[in-house]
């Protein structure tokens, strides 16, 4: 199994669920994490990543960590200072249309969104509300482009798009697609040589469907145009994703693997969860399992079954512990003398 991993955690793309998978694997195998200084949950985002943002890194005696997975704005030469040369790099992408709709709900307080009543109103005159110089403008345009380290307001020329795609391909071993989450997990399992239980998960940091509404075609087109760089990244890597499946696994075997993954997830849900699924924030009984609530989104969580034996309880709790709480637990384990 591969143990040196860089995961670029792209915002609003099922990345919290992927992070839980990495947290669990790292904890099980006593791996070290490149934590943000002081145990925060972001590596000084939205600044480009620097090695000195990592707790325990010192340029005099550079220390290498196994897993780098907290939010950062990607800058590979700096990343290479904190992980081994052989580390596997991967990230996850999401359709920019759904990504923008999700960002709008989640980051309503961002300067570009705070003065509009709806996403449609923003898209009708984006330049009226959007100021590229604002410190939080990245939430409102080409968020994936930004997280990968590029300029989200760059011109969209064929040459520039080509260079951007080539740079991402040169840095990353695998790009997952959140719309095909289970297929993505199978690809990840293959690449990391992990077993099924290491990549099984419950969706984390997902929001209640009551705050989601279908988008009209005219809005969809406006979102694509406004986020043209993200759209180019997404369509390119959505295509190479399926090419990779055809080349490395084949559709038939992929179907079998996905079926096995879903069956295992359902089995774990029966074992671990009260009522099989996620619940609204008000209905989460154990406050330590309540995810951070943000913007106008209602972030769902889980209730564990009562009366589980110790070992099962530990396994189940890991699966449903929200990102901030889990990160804090692992930080205290790795740096027992420091408290975030």
């Amino acid at each position: 199994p591969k143990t040196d991993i860089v995961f670029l955690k792209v915002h609003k793309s099922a990345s919290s669920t992927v992070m839980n998978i990495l947290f669990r694997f790292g904890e099980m195998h006593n791996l070290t994490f490149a934590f943000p200084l002081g145990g925060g949950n972001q590596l000084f985002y939205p600044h480009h990543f620097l090695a000195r943002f990592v707790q325990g890194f010192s340029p005099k005696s550079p220390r290498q960590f196994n897993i780098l997975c907290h939010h950062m704005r990607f800058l590979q030469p700096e990343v290479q200072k904190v992980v081994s040369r052989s580390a596997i790099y991967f990230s996850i992408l999401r359709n920019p249309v759904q990504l923008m709709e999700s960002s709008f709900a989640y980051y309503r307080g961002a300067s570009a969104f705070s003065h509009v009543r709806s996403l449609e109103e923003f898209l009708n005159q984006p330049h009226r509300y959007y100021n590229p110089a604002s410190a939080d403008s990245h939430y409102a345009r080409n968020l994936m482009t930004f997280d990968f380290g590029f300029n989200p307001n760059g011109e969209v020329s064929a040459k520039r798009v080509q260079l951007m795609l080539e740079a991402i391909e040169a840095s990353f071993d695998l790009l997952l697609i959140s719309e095909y989450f289970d297929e993505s997990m199978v690809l990840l399992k293959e690449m990391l040589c992990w077993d099924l239980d290491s990549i099984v998960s419950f969706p984390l940091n997902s929001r209640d469907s009551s705050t989601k509404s279908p988008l009209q075609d005219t809005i969809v087109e406006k979102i694509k145009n406004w986020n043209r760089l993200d759209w180019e990244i997404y369509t390119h890597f959505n295509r190479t994703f399926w090419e990779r499946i055809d080349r490395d696994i084949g559709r038939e075997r992929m179907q079998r693997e996905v079926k096995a993954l879903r069956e295992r997830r359902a089995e774990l849900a029966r074992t671990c969860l009260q009522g099989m699924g996620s619940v609204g924030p008000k209905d989460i009984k154990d406050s330590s399992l309540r995810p951070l609530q943000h913007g106008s989104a209602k972030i769902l969580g889980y209730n564990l079954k009562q009366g589980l034996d110790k070992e099962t309880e530990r396994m189940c709790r890991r699966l449903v512990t929200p990102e901030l709480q889990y990160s804090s637990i692992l930080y205290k384990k790795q740096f027992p003398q420091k408290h975030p």
Side-chain angles (χ1 to χ4, degrees), residues 78-145:
E78 288 290 315
V79 169
Q80 285 169 331
K81 295 177 185 177
V82 298
V83 295
S84 108
R85 291 203 73 80
S86 61
I88 299 269
Y89 287 69
F90 79 100
S91 186
I92 187 163
L93 305 172
R94 183 181 185 186
N95 185 316
V97 175
Q98 280 71 47
L99 180 71
M100 175 117 204
E101 190 272 335
S102 179
S103 289
F104 183 77
Y106 204 77
Y107 301 114
R108 274 316 289 271
S111 52
F113 295 150
S114 58
H115 300 296
V116 294
R117 283 185 300 273
S118 65
L119 180 55
E120 187 172 7
E121 189 181 335
F122 172 81
L123 289 162
N124 284 339
Q125 298 176 288
H127 290 290
R128 191 177 152 191
Y129 305 105
Y130 176 82
N131 174 5
S134 298
D136 59 3
S137 65
H138 53 282
Y139 291 123
R141 187 178 202 187
N142 290 315
L143 181 50
M144 293 191 287
T145 301

